[in-house]
Amino acid sequence: MKPAALLFDMDGVIVDNHKFHLRAWMEFSKRHGFHLDEVEYKKHINGRTISATMAHFFPDEKNPDVIQALGAEKEEIYRELYAPHQKSTPGLIDFLRLAMDAGIAVGVGSSAPPENIAFTLDGLDLRKYFSAIVNGSEVSVGKPAPEVYLKLAEKLGAKAQDSIVLEDALSGIEAGKNAGAKVIGLATTHPAHEISHSDLVINDFNGLTVDKLTSLFK
C-alpha cells in the first residue's frame, strides 16, 4: 500500500548539517569548560531535545530559565556557523514533489526548537512542502520516545503504523519504530551499517520513488 504520511526529522534529513551541530556543541562545551567529542555527541545529543541534552551536561542545574538560556546560546552558535552553508539534502525537493503529486501527507517532527525549524524551512523556502510541524517544545518526552511522531501523524490525519519516518539519528530511528511506523534511515550522521536496522537505508533522496515507499509495506 502507499504510505499515508511521511514523517520527516529535520537535522540530518532535510539538511545534512551534522558537522555544524557538532562544531557548535564543541564551541559551546569549550565556553562552559567541559569536553565533548563526536562519540559522545552521537550517543547523548543527536536527535534529542535541547532540554534533555542540557540535563545531561548540567545535571545539577534545576532552573528552567537557565537551561533555556543555555540551549538558546548553543543554537545561536549553530545558526551562525551553518547560515553560509545551508542547503537541502540532495534530491529532497524532487522527492517532496513526487510525494505531493502522489497525495501523500508530509510533515516535520523534530527535536529542534522553533527558531531552528524556521531558520531551515524558511531559509531554504521548504515550508510550503510540509502540511504539519511538531517541534521539540511541543513534546513532553523526546526521542527515542515516539511522542513526536505520534503527534505529527495525528496532525496529518494519518496513523503512525501506516506512515514512514525518515531519520538519521539512532534515537530517532528508535522513536519511529516505537511509534509503529516504517523507518527510512539516512546515512548522513551514522554510516549505513550503524542504521541497518532501518527498513531502508539511503544516502540521500536521489532515486527514492513512491514505488520504493510502497514496497516497504509489502
Side-chain angles (χ1 to χ4, degrees):
M1 71 172 195
K2 185 172 66 179
L6 299 178
L7 313 178
F8 277 77
D9 178 40
M10 186 179 73
D11 293 325
V13 177
I14 292 172
V15 286
D16 184 3
N17 57 351
H18 156 69
K19 65 182 181 181
F20 292 96
H21 269 298
L22 176 60
R23 283 171 56 189
W25 272 107
M26 293 182 79
E27 173 60 27
F28 176 85
S29 67
K30 192 185 303 181
R31 292 184 187 183
H32 290 274
F34 63 88
H35 175 72
L36 176 69
D37 58 26
E38 188 167 6
V39 172
E40 189 169 12
Y41 169 81
K42 288 182 177 180
K43 184 175 181 180
H44 294 293
I45 296 176
N46 187 45
R48 301 180 188 273
T49 63
I50 197 72
S51 58
T53 54
M54 289 304 165
H56 173 75
F57 290 110
F58 302 94
D60 297 327
E61 182 55 70
K62 306 302 180 186
N63 187 327
D65 292 335
V66 173
I67 292 172
Q68 185 176 2
L70 288 168
E73 178 188 347
K74 180 266 156 183
E75 298 303 351
E76 186 175 347
I77 296 170
Y78 156 72
R79 291 192 295 271
E80 289 177 357
L81 286 172
Y82 190 45
H85 307 280
Q86 249 192 325
K87 63 180 179 179
S88 59
T89 302
L92 173 70
I93 293 174
D94 286 342
F95 174 65
L96 289 172
R97 288 172 177 160
L98 282 177
M100 291 177 70
D101 290 344
I104 302 171
V106 184
V108 176
S110 173
S111 300
E115 296 83 359
N116 283 15
I117 291 177
F119 169 74
T120 297
L121 298 189
D122 297 331
L124 294 172
D125 193 27
L126 295 174
R127 190 179 291 270
K128 60 191 175 189
Y129 296 107
F130 299 100
S131 301
I133 298 169
V134 176
N135 65 62
S137 69
E138 297 177 77
V139 297
S140 55
V141 185
K143 303 170 186 178
E147 182 182 359
V148 63
Y149 289 126
L150 294 173
K151 282 191 170 182
L152 180 57
E154 184 179 8
K155 277 191 176 185
L156 291 169
K159 295 180 179 178
Q161 60 264 36
D162 297 331
S163 303
I164 298 175
V165 164
L166 297 102
E167 265 285 358
D168 70 304
L170 297 177
S171 60
I173 291 168
E174 189 176 348
K177 289 186 171 291
N178 288 339
K182 300 295 184 182
V183 179
I184 295 177
L186 274 91
T188 51
T189 302
H190 296 270
H193 72 271
E194 291 184 6
I195 58 171
S196 61
H197 54 300
S198 305
D199 296 287
L200 174 67
V201 175
I202 60 176
N203 292 318
D204 55 37
F205 294 98
N206 286 318
L208 187 59
T209 64
V210 173
D211 285 344
K212 288 182 180 179
L213 303 180
T214 301
S215 69
L216 297 181
F217 292 92
K218 291 180 180 178

